[in-house]
Amino acid sequence: MAVHLRIVSLTVTTTETEQTYRFDRPATVVTGPIGTGKSSLLMLFKHAFGGNAMLTPAVRDHVLSVQAEIVAGEDRVVLKRTIEGDSAGTVDLLDPHSLALERTLPVRASEGATTLSDYLLDALGFPREQIASRREGSARPQNLTFNDLYAYVYLQAREIDRQVVGHLDSWFETKRRELFRLMFGLTDSALMELKRTKNELLDKLKARTAEHDNVSAFLAASDPRSDDELRAELTQLRDTLERAESGLVGLRTELEEQTAADTALRDELQSAIRQARQAEEEVSAAADLVEARHAVVAQVHLDLSRLARSATAIDQLSPFEFVVCPRCMQSLAARAVEEDHCLVCLQPDPVEADIDPAAIEETRTALQQQLDDAQRIRQSDEDHLQTAQESAQQLSFAVSSLRRQLDAQTRDAVAPRFDAIAEASTRVATLKAAIDAITQLRESWARVRTIDADIRALKAQRRQVNKDIKEKSEQLKASQTLVGDLSAEFGQLLTSWNLPWVDTAVIDRDTYLPVVNGQPFESLQASGGGIATSVNLAYSLTLLAFGLDHADVLVPSLLVIDSPRKAFGNNESDRQRATEIYSRFRTLADAYGERLQLIIADNDPPPITSDTFGKVEFDYDNPMVPGVDHPGPDHVTRIGHED
């Protein structure tokens, strides 16, 4: 049966007042002149349900919040949502009796949070599903939401003669079809999961195929050899490497044996080098000592020379009494000189001991003795230096001899082995590099084989999933008869309205859209908006009645229609067609009563009367938004109302 959804009332709150509009009858007609707020009222339904509604400036400027009392399945609740601001992103669920807050739910989905859509779908008993869809070439599952389902409920004035349940909106088309399949049992959770899996497998298959192509292109560009050729060459290189490494080990063993034979000679050379180094150090020390002895002898010579000059000066000059300066020949007679000071240099006169010839001779004798001793020691040190130099020369010659002997021995026995070892080592390194290069290429080939295996596995999984989808679809195929029955009822209803140029009308079994005279809905617009509007109404009314008549069809029991007479003329045939449409409204309301709800916005009063029709009437003195002065019909475009 149809999922039970009903709007009990709508309360509009402004800064000054609030107004409640009730919808107690099976059908309610909202009437009034253009611009009084009929379409805005219907948009506020959508806003209260958490949808992205187009709200007019009059609503945005004056309405603070809206409350919709609804019945969803067995639940009766009040939905309260502000018009703008941060809080507009949530909807409060209120107790319908006390208006106490029960919970607040977000409008948009977030990780781990229950949304208003989740609550409403659960309350209606409508399955919450994810559909398989693709965006930008990748699988991107999408949640089916209550507002997606509401597209089957709400016929907007601006869309009623243009498209059916948003079928021209590419972003919504996949959802529209899946919702229809869910409502008519043409799909279920298992089948939708299989379709999502199919999408995911397609992505994985595309990724692995691209990877396979990239690796294959790299191999083709880098090396023309096949994997079999590389395997054979790798085996040969490993054999060659084994022989080369064995030869290298033999050369190194021979070198070690020869090196052991040279050990004694090397030890002797090292000992000679140490002795030669010690002899050089001894020569250096002896040379420093001889240099110091030369300095002592030279100093004693200086002292003797100074003493001789002093004695000579005393002997030669002491008898003279200077009256003039011996240098500049100026008179010294008038010069003031302290007592016991030299008249010429003004220094204190020397004591008698300093000029005593005996004392001077004694000093000279001592210095001469010191000179003799220093010369004797210097000679001894020079003799030691010469001995050390001769020993160092002998040790240096011994080192040179031992080195020549070792070089000759190494040149004849060791050097050839070193050359052979170097050549063998280079050969081994080259072989290892070649093996590494081939190993890397073979790893790429192994990667290709792994990817090939993955691709085969993914294709097998995909075939199985396609098979499962086909089998599951066959199991659900019985529901296709429902689509056929729906199509027949749609055709009967539409042809009963006697529309011009309409001969046949069916619902396509693949698109689930109306097809008139074998042409899609879009082609009807060339025949006039009134015909397109009539077809859209017939489609939605047929869905509504079909859901009420069939227990296994999940069509919502609510239908909100804005401007059912859009693009209708005022001639006799158009008035007759409007009467037939409203007669259908009355027939449904009379037949199903409280099981369904029709809310219809129209400029003019209904062309027929019925006790099942409730009324909500607006005029310029009493528009939908309470307390707002309306400028009247001459200025209606200024406030931008949709209707």
Side-chain angles (χ1 to χ4, degrees), residues 12 34-44 47 52-64 83-84 154 156 158 562 623-626 628 630 636-643:
V12 179
I34 184 171
T36 53
K38 301 182 301 299
S39 293
S40 293
L41 180 69
L42 305 190
M43 278 292 178
L44 286 175
H47 184 74
N52 185 20
M54 293 184 298
L55 303 178
T56 63
V59 172
R60 293 191 180 277
D61 293 343
H62 299 284
V63 178
L64 299 178
I83 297 301
E84 293 187 319
Y154 182 21
Q156 298 184 49
R158 69 189 186 96
D562 193 354
M624 187 275 295
V625 180
V628 176
H630 196 285
V636 71
T637 55
R638 183 164 65 86
I639 65 171
H641 280 275
E642 182 182 347
D643 58 349

mmCIF file of all heavy atoms in Angstrom, residues 12 34-44 47 52-64 83-84 154 156 158 562 623-626 628 630 636-643:
data_model
loop_
_atom_site.group_PDB
_atom_site.id
_atom_site.type_symbol
_atom_site.label_atom_id
_atom_site.label_comp_id
_atom_site.label_asym_id
_atom_site.label_seq_id
_atom_site.Cartn_x
_atom_site.Cartn_y
_atom_site.Cartn_z
ATOM 1 N N VAL A 12 3.013 29.479 10.349
ATOM 2 C CA VAL A 12 4.007 30.454 9.901
ATOM 3 C C VAL A 12 4.159 31.499 11.000
ATOM 4 O O VAL A 12 3.174 32.127 11.405
ATOM 5 C CB VAL A 12 3.570 31.112 8.586
ATOM 6 C CG1 VAL A 12 4.595 32.150 8.146
ATOM 7 C CG2 VAL A 12 3.382 30.054 7.498
ATOM 8 N N ILE A 34 -2.653 36.138 -7.951
ATOM 9 C CA ILE A 34 -1.216 35.980 -8.129
ATOM 10 C C ILE A 34 -0.463 36.837 -7.119
ATOM 11 O O ILE A 34 -0.842 37.976 -6.835
ATOM 12 C CB ILE A 34 -0.818 36.352 -9.571
ATOM 13 C CG1 ILE A 34 0.678 36.089 -9.797
ATOM 14 C CG2 ILE A 34 -1.160 37.798 -9.904
ATOM 15 C CD1 ILE A 34 1.080 36.223 -11.255
ATOM 16 N N GLY A 35 0.563 36.262 -6.534
ATOM 17 C CA GLY A 35 1.418 37.012 -5.619
ATOM 18 C C GLY A 35 0.968 37.016 -4.184
ATOM 19 O O GLY A 35 1.562 37.698 -3.344
ATOM 20 N N THR A 36 -0.071 36.249 -3.835
ATOM 21 C CA THR A 36 -0.544 36.265 -2.441
ATOM 22 C C THR A 36 0.114 35.189 -1.592
ATOM 23 O O THR A 36 -0.128 35.134 -0.383
ATOM 24 C CB THR A 36 -2.068 36.095 -2.398
ATOM 25 O OG1 THR A 36 -2.441 34.921 -3.141
ATOM 26 C CG2 THR A 36 -2.759 37.321 -2.975
ATOM 27 N N GLY A 37 0.895 34.308 -2.206
ATOM 28 C CA GLY A 37 1.676 33.373 -1.399
ATOM 29 C C GLY A 37 1.289 31.926 -1.521
ATOM 30 O O GLY A 37 1.685 31.103 -0.685
ATOM 31 N N LYS A 38 0.532 31.549 -2.542
ATOM 32 C CA LYS A 38 0.129 30.147 -2.692
ATOM 33 C C LYS A 38 1.358 29.238 -2.885
ATOM 34 O O LYS A 38 1.535 28.255 -2.168
ATOM 35 C CB LYS A 38 -0.824 30.002 -3.893
ATOM 36 C CG LYS A 38 -2.089 30.838 -3.783
ATOM 37 C CD LYS A 38 -3.006 30.611 -4.961
ATOM 38 C CE LYS A 38 -2.357 30.957 -6.297
ATOM 39 N NZ LYS A 38 -1.964 32.378 -6.393
ATOM 40 N N SER A 39 2.185 29.576 -3.868
ATOM 41 C CA SER A 39 3.387 28.759 -4.117
ATOM 42 C C SER A 39 4.337 28.812 -2.931
ATOM 43 O O SER A 39 5.013 27.825 -2.605
ATOM 44 C CB SER A 39 4.102 29.234 -5.380
ATOM 45 O OG SER A 39 3.332 28.981 -6.526
ATOM 46 N N SER A 40 4.405 29.970 -2.262
ATOM 47 C CA SER A 40 5.279 30.090 -1.091
ATOM 48 C C SER A 40 4.834 29.145 0.007
ATOM 49 O O SER A 40 5.658 28.560 0.737
ATOM 50 C CB SER A 40 5.277 31.529 -0.580
ATOM 51 O OG SER A 40 5.883 32.388 -1.521
ATOM 52 N N LEU A 41 3.513 28.969 0.163
ATOM 53 C CA LEU A 41 3.010 28.031 1.165
ATOM 54 C C LEU A 41 3.489 26.613 0.863
ATOM 55 O O LEU A 41 3.959 25.888 1.755
ATOM 56 C CB LEU A 41 1.477 28.077 1.190
ATOM 57 C CG LEU A 41 0.801 27.134 2.191
ATOM 58 C CD1 LEU A 41 1.070 27.593 3.607
ATOM 59 C CD2 LEU A 41 -0.698 27.043 1.924
ATOM 60 N N LEU A 42 3.398 26.226 -0.418
ATOM 61 C CA LEU A 42 3.845 24.880 -0.794
ATOM 62 C C LEU A 42 5.354 24.729 -0.629
ATOM 63 O O LEU A 42 5.849 23.659 -0.259
ATOM 64 C CB LEU A 42 3.438 24.582 -2.238
ATOM 65 C CG LEU A 42 1.947 24.725 -2.580
ATOM 66 C CD1 LEU A 42 1.675 24.170 -3.974
ATOM 67 C CD2 LEU A 42 1.064 24.046 -1.550
ATOM 68 N N MET A 43 6.092 25.813 -0.920
ATOM 69 C CA MET A 43 7.548 25.768 -0.728
ATOM 70 C C MET A 43 7.903 25.620 0.749
ATOM 71 O O MET A 43 8.912 24.997 1.100
ATOM 72 C CB MET A 43 8.192 27.033 -1.300
ATOM 73 C CG MET A 43 8.420 26.982 -2.800
ATOM 74 S SD MET A 43 9.683 25.762 -3.221
ATOM 75 C CE MET A 43 9.670 25.895 -5.018
ATOM 76 N N LEU A 44 7.078 26.186 1.628
ATOM 77 C CA LEU A 44 7.345 26.051 3.061
ATOM 78 C C LEU A 44 7.141 24.612 3.526
ATOM 79 O O LEU A 44 7.777 24.176 4.497
ATOM 80 C CB LEU A 44 6.462 27.018 3.857
ATOM 81 C CG LEU A 44 6.891 28.487 3.781
ATOM 82 C CD1 LEU A 44 5.888 29.377 4.502
ATOM 83 C CD2 LEU A 44 8.289 28.687 4.349
ATOM 84 N N HIS A 47 10.440 23.167 2.746
ATOM 85 C CA HIS A 47 11.432 23.668 3.700
ATOM 86 C C HIS A 47 11.316 22.944 5.034
ATOM 87 O O HIS A 47 12.328 22.550 5.636
ATOM 88 C CB HIS A 47 11.232 25.177 3.883
ATOM 89 C CG HIS A 47 12.250 25.818 4.772
ATOM 90 N ND1 HIS A 47 13.546 26.041 4.385
ATOM 91 C CD2 HIS A 47 12.164 26.271 6.062
ATOM 92 C CE1 HIS A 47 14.227 26.610 5.375
ATOM 93 N NE2 HIS A 47 13.394 26.760 6.406
ATOM 94 N N ASN A 52 15.633 21.920 0.090
ATOM 95 C CA ASN A 52 16.218 23.190 -0.334
ATOM 96 C C ASN A 52 15.171 23.932 -1.157
ATOM 97 O O ASN A 52 15.121 23.829 -2.381
ATOM 98 C CB ASN A 52 17.482 22.930 -1.154
ATOM 99 C CG ASN A 52 18.200 24.206 -1.524
ATOM 100 O OD1 ASN A 52 17.995 25.244 -0.894
ATOM 101 N ND2 ASN A 52 19.034 24.150 -2.552
ATOM 102 N N ALA A 53 14.314 24.680 -0.476
ATOM 103 C CA ALA A 53 13.178 25.325 -1.128
ATOM 104 C C ALA A 53 13.548 26.722 -1.599
ATOM 105 O O ALA A 53 14.397 27.395 -1.004
ATOM 106 C CB ALA A 53 11.999 25.397 -0.158
ATOM 107 N N MET A 54 12.869 27.154 -2.670
ATOM 108 C CA MET A 54 13.048 28.518 -3.176
ATOM 109 C C MET A 54 12.073 29.429 -2.424
ATOM 110 O O MET A 54 10.861 29.399 -2.687
ATOM 111 C CB MET A 54 12.783 28.570 -4.680
ATOM 112 C CG MET A 54 13.807 27.809 -5.500
ATOM 113 S SD MET A 54 13.519 27.994 -7.284
ATOM 114 C CE MET A 54 11.896 27.246 -7.428
ATOM 115 N N LEU A 55 12.598 30.196 -1.489
ATOM 116 C CA LEU A 55 11.765 31.058 -0.652
ATOM 117 C C LEU A 55 11.814 32.483 -1.180
ATOM 118 O O LEU A 55 12.881 33.010 -1.505
ATOM 119 C CB LEU A 55 12.253 31.005 0.796
ATOM 120 C CG LEU A 55 12.280 29.596 1.426
ATOM 121 C CD1 LEU A 55 12.817 29.666 2.844
ATOM 122 C CD2 LEU A 55 10.902 28.954 1.405
ATOM 123 N N THR A 56 10.660 33.109 -1.218
ATOM 124 C CA THR A 56 10.566 34.462 -1.768
ATOM 125 C C THR A 56 11.116 35.479 -0.782
ATOM 126 O O THR A 56 11.241 35.205 0.424
ATOM 127 C CB THR A 56 9.100 34.794 -2.066
ATOM 128 O OG1 THR A 56 8.367 34.772 -0.839
ATOM 129 C CG2 THR A 56 8.504 33.799 -3.040
ATOM 130 N N PRO A 57 11.407 36.685 -1.259
ATOM 131 C CA PRO A 57 11.869 37.740 -0.352
ATOM 132 C C PRO A 57 10.875 38.026 0.767
ATOM 133 O O PRO A 57 11.282 38.316 1.897
ATOM 134 C CB PRO A 57 12.043 38.949 -1.274
ATOM 135 C CG PRO A 57 12.332 38.357 -2.609
ATOM 136 C CD PRO A 57 11.525 37.103 -2.678
ATOM 137 N N ALA A 58 9.570 37.953 0.467
ATOM 138 C CA ALA A 58 8.576 38.207 1.519
ATOM 139 C C ALA A 58 8.732 37.215 2.658
ATOM 140 O O ALA A 58 8.579 37.558 3.839
ATOM 141 C CB ALA A 58 7.167 38.126 0.928
ATOM 142 N N VAL A 59 9.019 35.949 2.327
ATOM 143 C CA VAL A 59 9.224 34.925 3.363
ATOM 144 C C VAL A 59 10.539 35.163 4.090
ATOM 145 O O VAL A 59 10.604 35.162 5.321
ATOM 146 C CB VAL A 59 9.184 33.515 2.729
ATOM 147 C CG1 VAL A 59 9.588 32.468 3.762
ATOM 148 C CG2 VAL A 59 7.796 33.213 2.179
ATOM 149 N N ARG A 60 11.589 35.388 3.342
ATOM 150 C CA ARG A 60 12.903 35.556 3.974
ATOM 151 C C ARG A 60 12.953 36.809 4.848
ATOM 152 O O ARG A 60 13.636 36.833 5.871
ATOM 153 C CB ARG A 60 13.994 35.624 2.901
ATOM 154 C CG ARG A 60 14.169 34.318 2.151
ATOM 155 C CD ARG A 60 15.420 34.344 1.284
ATOM 156 N NE ARG A 60 15.585 33.089 0.574
ATOM 157 C CZ ARG A 60 16.141 32.002 1.099
ATOM 158 N NH1 ARG A 60 16.563 32.024 2.354
ATOM 159 N NH2 ARG A 60 16.261 30.901 0.382
ATOM 160 N N ASP A 61 12.249 37.850 4.457
ATOM 161 C CA ASP A 61 12.316 39.114 5.196
ATOM 162 C C ASP A 61 11.423 39.121 6.432
ATOM 163 O O ASP A 61 11.697 39.861 7.386
ATOM 164 C CB ASP A 61 11.908 40.278 4.285
ATOM 165 C CG ASP A 61 12.912 40.515 3.166
ATOM 166 O OD1 ASP A 61 14.052 40.011 3.291
ATOM 167 O OD2 ASP A 61 12.556 41.182 2.173
ATOM 168 N N HIS A 62 10.378 38.308 6.438
ATOM 169 C CA HIS A 62 9.398 38.440 7.519
ATOM 170 C C HIS A 62 9.161 37.170 8.327
ATOM 171 O O HIS A 62 8.774 37.265 9.495
ATOM 172 C CB HIS A 62 8.050 38.907 6.932
ATOM 173 C CG HIS A 62 8.132 40.236 6.257
ATOM 174 N ND1 HIS A 62 8.203 41.426 6.937
ATOM 175 C CD2 HIS A 62 8.181 40.561 4.925
ATOM 176 C CE1 HIS A 62 8.271 42.436 6.078
ATOM 177 N NE2 HIS A 62 8.274 41.936 4.847
ATOM 178 N N VAL A 63 9.372 36.008 7.744
ATOM 179 C CA VAL A 63 9.069 34.767 8.466
ATOM 180 C C VAL A 63 10.293 34.327 9.261
ATOM 181 O O VAL A 63 11.402 34.250 8.727
ATOM 182 C CB VAL A 63 8.638 33.660 7.482
ATOM 183 C CG1 VAL A 63 8.362 32.360 8.241
ATOM 184 C CG2 VAL A 63 7.403 34.093 6.708
ATOM 185 N N LEU A 64 10.053 34.032 10.545
ATOM 186 C CA LEU A 64 11.132 33.558 11.407
ATOM 187 C C LEU A 64 11.275 32.044 11.324
ATOM 188 O O LEU A 64 12.385 31.526 11.225
ATOM 189 C CB LEU A 64 10.868 33.972 12.857
ATOM 190 C CG LEU A 64 10.779 35.482 13.125
ATOM 191 C CD1 LEU A 64 10.474 35.725 14.595
ATOM 192 C CD2 LEU A 64 12.073 36.165 12.725
ATOM 193 N N ILE A 83 13.927 29.920 9.169
ATOM 194 C CA ILE A 83 14.046 30.249 7.747
ATOM 195 C C ILE A 83 15.493 30.456 7.343
ATOM 196 O O ILE A 83 15.961 29.934 6.332
ATOM 197 C CB ILE A 83 13.205 31.496 7.405
ATOM 198 C CG1 ILE A 83 11.733 31.203 7.660
ATOM 199 C CG2 ILE A 83 13.412 31.911 5.945
ATOM 200 C CD1 ILE A 83 11.167 30.039 6.867
ATOM 201 N N GLU A 84 16.245 31.209 8.133
ATOM 202 C CA GLU A 84 17.639 31.490 7.791
ATOM 203 C C GLU A 84 18.491 31.387 9.051
ATOM 204 O O GLU A 84 17.976 31.255 10.165
ATOM 205 C CB GLU A 84 17.773 32.876 7.147
ATOM 206 C CG GLU A 84 17.115 32.988 5.780
ATOM 207 C CD GLU A 84 17.417 34.309 5.095
ATOM 208 O OE1 GLU A 84 17.408 35.341 5.789
ATOM 209 O OE2 GLU A 84 17.670 34.300 3.881
ATOM 210 N N TYR A 154 5.767 16.381 -4.982
ATOM 211 C CA TYR A 154 5.575 17.823 -5.198
ATOM 212 C C TYR A 154 5.747 18.162 -6.672
ATOM 213 O O TYR A 154 6.830 18.033 -7.233
ATOM 214 C CB TYR A 154 6.591 18.569 -4.342
ATOM 215 C CG TYR A 154 6.512 20.073 -4.392
ATOM 216 C CD1 TYR A 154 5.364 20.752 -4.785
ATOM 217 C CD2 TYR A 154 7.617 20.841 -4.017
ATOM 218 C CE1 TYR A 154 5.310 22.139 -4.821
ATOM 219 C CE2 TYR A 154 7.574 22.228 -4.030
ATOM 220 C CZ TYR A 154 6.419 22.867 -4.446
ATOM 221 O OH TYR A 154 6.364 24.240 -4.472
ATOM 222 N N GLN A 156 5.964 21.154 -8.870
ATOM 223 C CA GLN A 156 6.167 22.594 -8.803
ATOM 224 C C GLN A 156 5.614 23.274 -10.060
ATOM 225 O O GLN A 156 5.631 22.707 -11.158
ATOM 226 C CB GLN A 156 7.655 22.920 -8.675
ATOM 227 C CG GLN A 156 8.301 22.368 -7.420
ATOM 228 C CD GLN A 156 9.738 22.809 -7.297
ATOM 229 O OE1 GLN A 156 10.048 23.992 -7.442
ATOM 230 N NE2 GLN A 156 10.627 21.862 -7.018
ATOM 231 N N ARG A 158 6.782 25.705 -11.796
ATOM 232 C CA ARG A 158 7.742 25.998 -12.863
ATOM 233 C C ARG A 158 8.219 24.744 -13.591
ATOM 234 O O ARG A 158 8.858 24.847 -14.635
ATOM 235 C CB ARG A 158 8.958 26.744 -12.284
ATOM 236 C CG ARG A 158 9.836 25.929 -11.393
ATOM 237 C CD ARG A 158 10.877 26.795 -10.706
ATOM 238 N NE ARG A 158 11.832 25.993 -9.946
ATOM 239 C CZ ARG A 158 13.020 25.612 -10.408
ATOM 240 N NH1 ARG A 158 13.399 25.970 -11.628
ATOM 241 N NH2 ARG A 158 13.827 24.892 -9.653
ATOM 242 N N ASP A 562 1.075 22.361 -7.717
ATOM 243 C CA ASP A 562 1.065 23.811 -7.878
ATOM 244 C C ASP A 562 0.670 24.151 -9.318
ATOM 245 O O ASP A 562 1.357 23.775 -10.268
ATOM 246 C CB ASP A 562 2.455 24.384 -7.555
ATOM 247 C CG ASP A 562 2.437 25.899 -7.406
ATOM 248 O OD1 ASP A 562 1.381 26.503 -7.664
ATOM 249 O OD2 ASP A 562 3.483 26.466 -7.038
ATOM 250 N N PRO A 623 -2.598 37.956 2.817
ATOM 251 C CA PRO A 623 -1.668 37.061 2.121
ATOM 252 C C PRO A 623 -1.216 35.931 3.036
ATOM 253 O O PRO A 623 -1.533 35.902 4.221
ATOM 254 C CB PRO A 623 -0.512 37.985 1.749
ATOM 255 C CG PRO A 623 -0.509 39.012 2.820
ATOM 256 C CD PRO A 623 -1.954 39.235 3.190
ATOM 257 N N MET A 624 -0.440 35.012 2.433
ATOM 258 C CA MET A 624 0.028 33.849 3.197
ATOM 259 C C MET A 624 0.884 34.257 4.386
ATOM 260 O O MET A 624 0.757 33.712 5.485
ATOM 261 C CB MET A 624 0.807 32.908 2.273
ATOM 262 C CG MET A 624 1.208 31.586 2.922
ATOM 263 S SD MET A 624 2.744 31.628 3.876
ATOM 264 C CE MET A 624 3.931 31.967 2.603
ATOM 265 N N VAL A 625 1.810 35.225 4.223
ATOM 266 C CA VAL A 625 2.656 35.673 5.332
ATOM 267 C C VAL A 625 1.836 36.658 6.161
ATOM 268 O O VAL A 625 1.504 37.751 5.683
ATOM 269 C CB VAL A 625 3.949 36.337 4.819
ATOM 270 C CG1 VAL A 625 4.801 36.803 6.003
ATOM 271 C CG2 VAL A 625 4.742 35.365 3.951
ATOM 272 N N PRO A 626 1.485 36.323 7.392
ATOM 273 C CA PRO A 626 0.582 37.179 8.169
ATOM 274 C C PRO A 626 1.251 38.488 8.571
ATOM 275 O O PRO A 626 2.453 38.546 8.836
ATOM 276 C CB PRO A 626 0.263 36.323 9.403
ATOM 277 C CG PRO A 626 1.436 35.424 9.539
ATOM 278 C CD PRO A 626 1.893 35.119 8.137
ATOM 279 N N VAL A 628 1.846 41.119 6.807
ATOM 280 C CA VAL A 628 2.664 41.798 5.796
ATOM 281 C C VAL A 628 1.732 42.505 4.823
ATOM 282 O O VAL A 628 0.850 41.879 4.223
ATOM 283 C CB VAL A 628 3.567 40.803 5.035
ATOM 284 C CG1 VAL A 628 4.322 41.515 3.923
ATOM 285 C CG2 VAL A 628 4.536 40.144 5.999
ATOM 286 N N HIS A 630 0.575 43.863 1.498
ATOM 287 C CA HIS A 630 0.865 43.491 0.120
ATOM 288 C C HIS A 630 0.609 44.686 -0.788
ATOM 289 O O HIS A 630 -0.408 45.368 -0.639
ATOM 290 C CB HIS A 630 -0.002 42.301 -0.304
ATOM 291 C CG HIS A 630 0.489 41.631 -1.542
ATOM 292 N ND1 HIS A 630 0.328 42.167 -2.785
ATOM 293 C CD2 HIS A 630 1.170 40.467 -1.705
ATOM 294 C CE1 HIS A 630 0.852 41.362 -3.678
ATOM 295 N NE2 HIS A 630 1.376 40.313 -3.053
ATOM 296 N N VAL A 636 3.051 43.478 -8.109
ATOM 297 C CA VAL A 636 3.365 42.132 -7.663
ATOM 298 C C VAL A 636 4.765 41.684 -8.076
ATOM 299 O O VAL A 636 5.425 40.943 -7.367
ATOM 300 C CB VAL A 636 2.308 41.137 -8.191
ATOM 301 C CG1 VAL A 636 2.447 40.953 -9.687
ATOM 302 C CG2 VAL A 636 2.412 39.817 -7.464
ATOM 303 N N THR A 637 5.238 42.164 -9.212
ATOM 304 C CA THR A 637 6.564 41.725 -9.647
ATOM 305 C C THR A 637 7.656 42.246 -8.745
ATOM 306 O O THR A 637 8.731 41.688 -8.680
ATOM 307 C CB THR A 637 6.828 42.195 -11.083
ATOM 308 O OG1 THR A 637 6.656 43.616 -11.155
ATOM 309 C CG2 THR A 637 5.851 41.542 -12.045
ATOM 310 N N ARG A 638 7.371 43.325 -7.992
ATOM 311 C CA ARG A 638 8.427 43.916 -7.164
ATOM 312 C C ARG A 638 8.832 43.016 -6.007
ATOM 313 O O ARG A 638 9.971 43.002 -5.578
ATOM 314 C CB ARG A 638 7.954 45.265 -6.633
ATOM 315 C CG ARG A 638 9.004 46.020 -5.815
ATOM 316 C CD ARG A 638 8.633 47.463 -5.655
ATOM 317 N NE ARG A 638 7.416 47.616 -4.865
ATOM 318 C CZ ARG A 638 7.436 47.661 -3.519
ATOM 319 N NH1 ARG A 638 8.557 47.534 -2.878
ATOM 320 N NH2 ARG A 638 6.316 47.827 -2.849
ATOM 321 N N ILE A 639 7.876 42.241 -5.489
ATOM 322 C CA ILE A 639 8.229 41.405 -4.343
ATOM 323 C C ILE A 639 8.724 40.036 -4.763
ATOM 324 O O ILE A 639 9.146 39.246 -3.938
ATOM 325 C CB ILE A 639 7.044 41.268 -3.363
ATOM 326 C CG1 ILE A 639 5.886 40.524 -4.042
ATOM 327 C CG2 ILE A 639 6.581 42.609 -2.869
ATOM 328 C CD1 ILE A 639 4.785 40.155 -3.068
ATOM 329 N N GLY A 640 8.620 39.725 -6.065
ATOM 330 C CA GLY A 640 9.287 38.527 -6.575
ATOM 331 C C GLY A 640 8.632 37.226 -6.202
ATOM 332 O O GLY A 640 9.283 36.195 -6.114
ATOM 333 N N HIS A 641 7.295 37.186 -5.937
ATOM 334 C CA HIS A 641 6.660 35.906 -5.654
ATOM 335 C C HIS A 641 6.654 35.034 -6.885
ATOM 336 O O HIS A 641 6.453 35.507 -7.998
ATOM 337 C CB HIS A 641 5.215 36.126 -5.180
ATOM 338 C CG HIS A 641 5.148 36.509 -3.713
ATOM 339 N ND1 HIS A 641 5.136 35.581 -2.726
ATOM 340 C CD2 HIS A 641 5.102 37.723 -3.113
ATOM 341 C CE1 HIS A 641 5.055 36.193 -1.549
ATOM 342 N NE2 HIS A 641 5.042 37.492 -1.764
ATOM 343 N N GLU A 642 6.836 33.716 -6.660
ATOM 344 C CA GLU A 642 6.833 32.792 -7.785
ATOM 345 C C GLU A 642 5.451 32.694 -8.402
ATOM 346 O O GLU A 642 5.291 32.532 -9.592
ATOM 347 C CB GLU A 642 7.286 31.405 -7.317
ATOM 348 C CG GLU A 642 7.349 30.409 -8.465
ATOM 349 C CD GLU A 642 7.745 29.033 -7.975
ATOM 350 O OE1 GLU A 642 8.189 28.918 -6.849
ATOM 351 O OE2 GLU A 642 7.604 28.091 -8.753
ATOM 352 N N ASP A 643 4.394 32.757 -7.571
ATOM 353 C CA ASP A 643 3.053 32.630 -8.133
ATOM 354 C C ASP A 643 2.382 33.979 -8.221
ATOM 355 O O ASP A 643 1.195 34.074 -8.305
ATOM 356 C CB ASP A 643 2.219 31.676 -7.269
ATOM 357 C CG ASP A 643 2.119 32.125 -5.826
ATOM 358 O OD1 ASP A 643 2.847 33.052 -5.441
ATOM 359 O OD2 ASP A 643 1.339 31.530 -5.077
#
